[in-house]
Amino acid sequence: MTTGTVTNQKGRISLPTVILLAALALLVAAGIVYVVQATGYGEKFLPGTSINGVDVSGLAADEAEQALDDSLNHYTLTLTERDGRTETISGADIGMALDLGDSVEQLLEAQNGWLWPLCALGTRSDEVTLEAGFVYDSDALSDAIAALTCLDSASAVRPTDAYISGYDSETGGVVIVAETQGTLVEEEALTAAIVAAVDAMETALDLDEAGCYVAPTVTADDPDLVLEAETLNGYLGVTVTYEMGEDTVVLDGSTLIDWLTYNGDGTVTLDEDAVTAFVKDLASAYNTIFSD
C-alpha cells in the first residue's frame, strides 16, 4: 500500500487573488492620480484650452494673462498707401496691454477639472473668446503716427484740380483735363482712422479707402466745369472763311479761344477790342482804297 502526505496550504494566496489585489491597487492608484490631477486643475487650465487663440494649457490664471498680454506685442496695424508703400504700427510701439479684470480667473473657476483625462487625450478642447479690453499709450501712438513717412508733405505729390484746356486742334475745341489725386495725406483724417483701427484691433488700414488723402477740389465731372466746356465749344465750333481775291482767311476756334471769356453762368463775353484788331489787320492787308 502506498502512503503519501498532504501539504497544508493555509497562509498562501492564490494567483487569482494576487491578480485581483494588484488590479485593485492599480485602480486605487489611478483614482488617486485622477483626483489629484482634477484638484490641480482648479489652479491651472486644462490641456487643449485656448483663450482668444492663445494656448493657455496648464497655465495658472496669472500666467495665462501674461501669455495673452504678450500676444499683443505681436499685434501690428499695416497701413497701405496710395503709392503701393506699406508702413506698420505695432502693439509694442504703443505700449499695448490687456485689461482683463478678473475674467481669466472666472474662466479658470468655471472649468470642470474632472474632465482632464479627455482633454489630455485630445478628445476634448476648449476655445474661449473673451471680450477683452486693452489699453495703450496715446502719446506713443501720436509719436508713431507723426513718424510715418506718408506724412512727409515735402515728398508728397499734391493733388490738382480738373480744368479746361486751351484750344485742342484735334477736337476743334476745348477739353476737360482730369484731376489728379496725388499722395498728400490729411493728418487729422489719418490720425482719426488709425485710432479707430487700433481701438477695433484691426490689422489693416487702406489709407485711400479710409479717405486720408487731400482730395482735388474740382473733378472732371463737376457740373460747372462741364457746362463751361460745352458753352465754349459751342462758340469754338464756328468757322468763318473770308475770300480775299485769290486769298482766303479762316477765322476758327484757334483764334476765337482768345476772344472768349466765360462768365460762370453759362454765358460768354466776346472781347470787342480783339475783334476790332482782327478787322483792322484784315483791312490793312487787303483794303485797296488809295492804293493800286
Side-chain angles (χ1 to χ4, degrees):
M1 173 184 253
T2 302
T3 61
T5 59
V6 176
T7 302
N8 186 0
Q9 299 295 325
K10 185 177 180 180
R12 291 191 175 185
I13 302 174
S14 65
L15 181 59
T17 303
V18 171
I19 294 174
L20 178 60
L21 291 175
L24 288 173
L26 289 174
L27 185 60
V28 170
I32 293 173
V33 171
Y34 174 71
V35 172
V36 170
Q37 286 284 68
T39 303
Y41 280 115
E43 298 179 356
K44 59 184 179 181
F45 283 101
L46 289 165
T49 302
S50 59
I51 301 175
N52 292 1
V54 177
D55 185 9
V56 296
S57 302
L59 300 183
D62 58 342
E63 294 172 330
E65 289 179 3
Q66 185 61 54
L68 289 166
D69 200 42
D70 291 344
S71 71
L72 286 183
N73 290 328
H74 301 294
Y75 167 76
T76 300
L77 174 64
T78 300
L79 311 178
T80 301
E81 298 163 14
R82 188 173 274 170
D83 56 5
R85 181 175 52 198
T86 60
E87 299 186 74
T88 59
I89 295 176
S90 70
D93 292 337
I94 59 177
M96 186 174 280
L98 282 176
D99 182 16
L100 294 168
D102 59 356
S103 55
V104 174
E105 291 182 359
Q106 290 174 353
L107 282 177
L108 184 57
E109 293 171 359
Q111 77 174 1
N112 187 352
W114 301 103
L115 298 176
W116 71 264
L118 297 177
C119 298
L121 293 172
T123 58
R124 183 183 183 277
S125 60
D126 196 6
E127 167 61 42
V128 181
T129 300
L130 283 179
E131 293 297 331
F134 60 92
V135 294
Y136 58 85
D137 187 333
S138 298
D139 292 335
L141 178 58
S142 296
D143 292 342
I145 293 173
L148 292 172
T149 303
C150 63
L151 282 176
D152 182 9
S153 59
S155 62
V157 178
R158 284 161 172 71
T160 61
D161 290 340
Y163 63 93
I164 300 294
S165 72
Y167 181 77
D168 187 322
S169 59
E170 292 185 2
T171 63
V174 295
V175 295
I176 295 176
V177 179
E179 72 280 2
T180 61
Q181 295 298 329
T183 59
L184 184 63
V185 172
E186 208 288 302
E187 184 172 359
E188 185 175 342
L190 175 65
T191 299
I194 290 177
V195 169
V198 171
D199 286 344
M201 287 290 286
E202 295 176 358
T203 57
L205 176 65
D206 188 306
L207 270 58
D208 207 355
E209 293 178 359
C212 297
Y213 290 98
V214 176
T217 304
V218 181
T219 59
D221 58 356
D222 181 85
D224 292 335
L225 196 65
V226 171
L227 177 60
E228 180 179 353
E230 291 176 347
T231 302
L232 289 174
N233 284 333
Y235 286 86
L236 297 176
V238 173
T239 299
V240 180
T241 301
Y242 298 93
E243 295 182 355
M244 303 295 186
E246 295 181 354
D247 295 338
T248 58
V249 176
V250 177
L251 174 62
D252 60 14
S254 61
T255 301
L256 291 173
I257 187 64
D258 297 325
W259 297 0
L260 304 176
T261 300
Y262 183 72
N263 299 320
D265 58 356
T267 62
V268 169
T269 299
L270 191 63
D271 185 341
E272 295 185 3
D273 291 338
V275 174
T276 299
F278 175 77
V279 172
K280 285 184 177 180
D281 286 343
L282 283 179
S284 175
Y286 294 104
N287 276 357
T288 57
I289 188 171
F290 307 124
S291 65
D292 294 337

